[in-house]
């Protein structure tokens, strides 16, 4: 191919992969018949009511909508996780127009419509999306005319979120713009009971709420294609808010414990250690909190009575004592003995959610805890038991309530003396000691997170898989293994070196012709010889806010909204419907859920993730996986691990203590992998303590496979950083990756613009040489890929 043609092809591929075409060829208004009502319900139940003295609005209320977001709404975040070709979207204005109980001030809506058309946002490229939409200037005469024609003002204020960039400490991102302040001042001066709806993808500075008079404030988040209908249901009372914050809203950004160690493009030391979010605030600085984790109001009232029914079991009787039907979440927190390790003042250990309770109706919830949840990891040996989960002696005090701040003492569990719960293996420890915060009698003190002592090279060598002697093609098909007529070893013995290389990667490109149009990539039967052996191609699609394909697919609420429901059953039901849609659209693997911790409110991809809490994160992710995989397709849990920053994400190093890694950043993955058994798992782009995740043997093999018992396929995020192995310098790229037990390079090419569609040579370069890749390693990689293929297609 001539150079000009090559460059043109590369540019076309790059443009096509970064954003899906919106001119899809079969735009259906409904992809799955159950989706509209289900999405509407989920979007409403994840909304969080912060303040209220006027909602729900009375039937017949005339409403004036202010704010560009009434028509120019952020339905989800930008990037691969939200770039779904939705069959339709419903704005707040459209939702209110469809509500029989409320009347819209159409004159004001027309003014906004004309202004928005004249001030349309320009199309933007990858990572350069708008953070907000500039507001129309709101004059006193405009507000006065609105007051003459309506009873109630509703203001919609929006913020975008997006992949591959962070939110910033600037007006229009974390803070209000002057135009937004002017609008709020003008509207609330005439409408002192104005309702503020926050259409945001991540936590913003909420201190401005005290500067204006609001009758109610509700976070709608980004609710997907049914956002506007959900908003109308909440305003008129057809839906009752029951969402609860999954993150702490601090009074000042500088109060967040990660504020000083976030955003460095090269490396960030996680100096807050295990004291992330509410763990920090409830332990050291409760006065810095505006709204605590779990906070959320309702239109109705509930009473909660707790009984301590077994050593580690509690039962909560929830009674609707108000005037409206509603749902309520109950949360159980533990305060562990501080002991020599030091522990947070509160840790979420269980939660439950009622069904819809009519006034006077009651429901009992059972909240159970395990001793493993009560244990703490000793990475230094300060308890005398290095690399162990230990139960420190003393009383484990439990607190129950509707958020972390109002939780009351309900009982304790006494451990007479320190004992080892489980011996572990040092893994993924930092290369050098660095300072972290610890709890000493309720005061934050500095300690040094210990450096690694384990010999990584020796650990790898002791775990090399044995070779299976190659036999050549014996006519065995993969279905023969599936149906029990022969062994997987016999099938693997047939594969030659070229086939072993091919099965360890995808088919090179996104939008691959072997899969549904617009797919993220294909793996498995990527060559003719593999397909002749009965290995079909497996199609992956981006998520989690729906299925990213050329065809229209349902656009879901963002991950944080889902977690705010505190309803794992509802989330599982939603993703069961997504699984059905995947089968219809030709997706075998949805690259979801995203489940990294909300370490800092500025992380651009927080909208995809669930919470600052690992337990809640793990339970929600497990619900997503169970829902998808109930339909015979696969979830792909991501990004494993510590993908807590988007700036320079492919090179950034997350420097974290082994204790914080295990108790915070890996805990959600551990919960999800054990509860839901996802068929596939995706590594993150970043380094963890100096080692890229896609080369991290201890992360994948020592922890995920050996400690947690994970038996699924591990793939890279799309493309990887090529580098030599520190332990085996002769290995680089795919050789290094396979030795780390990461089974699959996706989408298969060396880089995004690679159009040559041929192996890069790094897997087989050292085969047969001292220290080089072994036949057994390649065969073990193939085994994991083939197991996945059999589960999904045979």
């Amino acid at each position: 191919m001539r150079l000009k043609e090559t460059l043109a092809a590369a540019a076309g591929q790059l443009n096509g992969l970064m954003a899906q075409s919106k001119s899809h060829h079969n735009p259906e208004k409904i992809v799955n018949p159950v989706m509209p009502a289900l999405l509407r319900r989920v979007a409403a139940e994840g909304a969080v009511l912060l303040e209220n003295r006027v909602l729900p609005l009375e039937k017949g209320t005339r409403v004036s909508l202010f704010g560009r977001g009434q028509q120019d709404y952020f339905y989800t975040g930008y990037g691969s996780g939200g770039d779904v070709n939705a069959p339709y979207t419903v704005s707040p204005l459209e939702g209110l127009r469809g509500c029989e109980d409320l009347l819209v001030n159409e004159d004001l809506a027309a003014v906004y419509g004309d202004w928005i058309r004249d001030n349309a946002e320009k199309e933007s490229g990858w990572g350069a999306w708008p953070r907000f939409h500039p507001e129309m200037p709101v004059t006193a005469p405009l507000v006065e005319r609105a007051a003459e024609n309506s009873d109630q003002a509703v203001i919609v204020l929006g913020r975008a979120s997006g992949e591959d960039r962070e939110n910033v400490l600037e007006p229009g991102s974390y803070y209000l713009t002057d135009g937004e302040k002017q609008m709020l001042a003008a509207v609330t001066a005439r409408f002192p009971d104005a309702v503020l709806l926050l259409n945001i993808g991540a936590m913003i500075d909420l201190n401005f709420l005290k500067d204006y008079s609001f009758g109610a404030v509700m976070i709608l988040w980004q609710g997907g294609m049914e956002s506007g209908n959900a908003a109308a249901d909440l305003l008129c009372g057809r839906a009752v808010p029951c969402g609860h914050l999954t993150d702490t809203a601090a009074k000042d950004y500088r109060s967040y414990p990660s504020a000083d160690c976030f955003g460095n493009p090269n490396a960030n030391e996680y100096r807050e250690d295990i004291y992330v979010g509410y763990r920090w605030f409830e332990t050291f600085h409760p006065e810095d909190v505006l709204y605590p984790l779990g906070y959320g109001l309702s239109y109705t009232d509930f009473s909660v009575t707790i009984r301590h029914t077994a050593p580690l079991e509690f039962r909560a009787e929830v009674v609707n004592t108000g005037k409206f039907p509603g749902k309520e979440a109950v949360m159980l927190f533990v305060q562990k003995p501080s002991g020599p390790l030091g522990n947070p003042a509160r840790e979420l250990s269980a939660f439950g959610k009622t069904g819809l309770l009519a006034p006077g109706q009651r429901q009992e919830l059972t909240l159970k805890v395990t001793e493993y949840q009560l244990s703490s990891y000793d990475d230094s040996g300060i308890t005398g038991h290095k690399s162990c989960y230990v139960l420190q002696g003393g009383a484990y005090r439990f607190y129950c309530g509707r958020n972390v701040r109002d939780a009351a003492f309900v009982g304790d569990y006494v451990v007479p003396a320190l004992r080892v719960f489980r011996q572990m293996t040092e893994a993924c420890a930092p290369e050098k000691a660095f300072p972290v915060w610890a709890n000493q009698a309720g005061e934050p003190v500095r300690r040094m997170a210990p450096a690694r002592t384990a010999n990584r090279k020796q650990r790898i060598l002791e775990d090399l898989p044995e070779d299976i002697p190659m036999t050549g093609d014996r006519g065995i098909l993969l279905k023969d293994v599936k149906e029990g007529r022969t062994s997987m070893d016999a099938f693997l013995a047939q594969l030659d070196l070229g086939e072993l290389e091919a099965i360890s990667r995808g088919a090179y490109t996104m939008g691959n012709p072997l899969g549904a149009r617009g797919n993220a990539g294909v793996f498995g039967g990527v060559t003719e010889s593999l397909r002749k052996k009965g290995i079909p191609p497996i199609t992956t699609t981006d998520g989690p806010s729906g299925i990213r394909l050329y065809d229209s697919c349902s656009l879901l609420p963002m991950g944080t909204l889902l977690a705010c429901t505190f309803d794992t059953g509802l989330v599982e039901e939603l993703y069961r419907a997504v699984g059905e849609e995947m089968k219809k659209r030709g997706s075998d693997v949805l690259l979801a859920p995203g489940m990294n911790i909300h370490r800092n409110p500025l992380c651009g991809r927080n909208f995809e993730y669930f919470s600052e809490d690992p337990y809640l994160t793990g339970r929600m992710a497990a619900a997503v996986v169970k829902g998808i995989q109930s339909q015979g397709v696969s979830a792909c849990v991501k990004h494993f691990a510590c993908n807590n920053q988007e700036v320079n994400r492919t090179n950034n190093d997350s420097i974290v203590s082994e204790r914080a890694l295990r108790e915070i950043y890996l805990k959600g993955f551990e919960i999800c992998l054990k509860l839901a058994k996802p068929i596939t798992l995706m590594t993150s782009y970043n380094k963890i303590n100096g080692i890229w995740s896609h080369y991290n043997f201890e992360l994948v093999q020592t922890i995920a496979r050996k400690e947690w018992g994970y038996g699924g396929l591990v793939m890279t995020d799309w493309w990887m950083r090529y580098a030599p192995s520190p332990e085996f310098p002769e290995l680089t790229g795919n050789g290094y990756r396979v030795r780390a037990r990461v089974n699959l390079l996706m989408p298969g090419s060396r880089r995004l613009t690679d159009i040559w569609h041929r192996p890069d040579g790094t897997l087989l370069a050292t085969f047969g040489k001292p220290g080089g890749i072994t036949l057994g390693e390649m065969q073990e990689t193939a085994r994991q890929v083939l197991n996945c293929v059999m589960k999904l297609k045979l």
Side-chain angles (χ1 to χ4, degrees), residues 63 267 277 341 370 379 528 579 790:
V63 177
L341 280 171
T370 66
D379 59 357
E528 185 177 353
M790 287 194 298

Side-chain angles (χ1 to χ4, degrees), residues 93 96 98 119 130 145 150 223 227 274 365 377 406 475 484 499 594 649 657 758 767:
L93 174 60
L96 282 175
N119 296 269
R145 287 198 301 275
S150 60
S227 292
I274 63 170
L365 302 173
Y377 187 76
D406 77 0
E499 290 168 328
R649 59 185 177 170
S657 76
R758 61 192 181 202
F767 178 66

Side-chain angles (χ1 to χ4, degrees), residues 17-46:
L17 298 184
M18 288 292 96
Q20 290 280 34
S21 168
K22 299 304 178 187
S23 301
H24 38 91
H25 66 279
N26 61 340
E28 303 173 24
K29 289 300 180 185
I30 297 177
V31 180
N32 183 334
V34 307
M35 275 298 196
L38 181 55
L39 290 172
R40 184 173 183 163
R41 178 159 61 99
V42 173
E45 293 195 18

Side-chain angles (χ1 to χ4, degrees), residues 70 96 121 190 218 238 353 533 595 692 790:
Q70 62 173 276
L96 282 175
E121 289 286 301
R190 187 64 179 82
M218 192 181 323
R238 291 188 178 184
K353 184 77 172 277
K533 288 182 171 62
M595 53 178 300
W692 273 288
M790 287 194 298

Side-chain angles (χ1 to χ4, degrees), residues 1-15 755:
M1 187 181 290
R2 291 174 297 177
L3 178 61
K4 184 176 181 180
E5 294 170 331
T6 302
L7 293 175
Q13 182 185 16
L14 177 63
N15 183 61
I755 61 169

